[in-house]
Amino acid sequence: MTAYTGTYFKRQIDWYQQSPEITDANQRCYARRGERFLVSSYRRPVNESPVREDNRNSRYFGNIEYPGDYWEVTFQNLPSRCSSQLNQGGQTWFVYRRHVSIR
């Protein structure tokens, strides 16, 4: 997998805020533009439904996250800044499909 642009891996799909706003380091990891990663598996998310923010008081009101816009990924290698948190217990991460190339 190669990052076309700088992008984030996220622990879950259903965030209405943008990934840079996720402040818990265990919930995201930044990938620099052009950075390459070995993946052990990837797929489109299974059994996930689109998630919409319905709270009218939220600044994200009306935002929708579509599972089909992401890859569900398990990595083999990661930058050292992320390796302690990624793949703990075989967990998968989500990455926005348009930001990466899988080859």
Side-chain angles (χ1 to χ4, degrees), residues 41-56:
S41 68
Y42 71 95
R43 65 181 183 181
R44 289 189 177 180
V46 177
N47 298 324
E48 298 280 349
S49 299
V51 179
R52 171 183 284 245
E53 173 58 276
D54 293 329
N55 180 350
R56 291 189 182 276

Side-chain angles (χ1 to χ4, degrees), residues 62-78:
N63 285 11
I64 301 174
E65 295 247 78
Y66 295 98
D69 291 341
Y70 292 86
W71 287 119
E72 183 178 330
V73 181
T74 303
F75 295 95
Q76 286 182 2
N77 76 323
L78 292 156

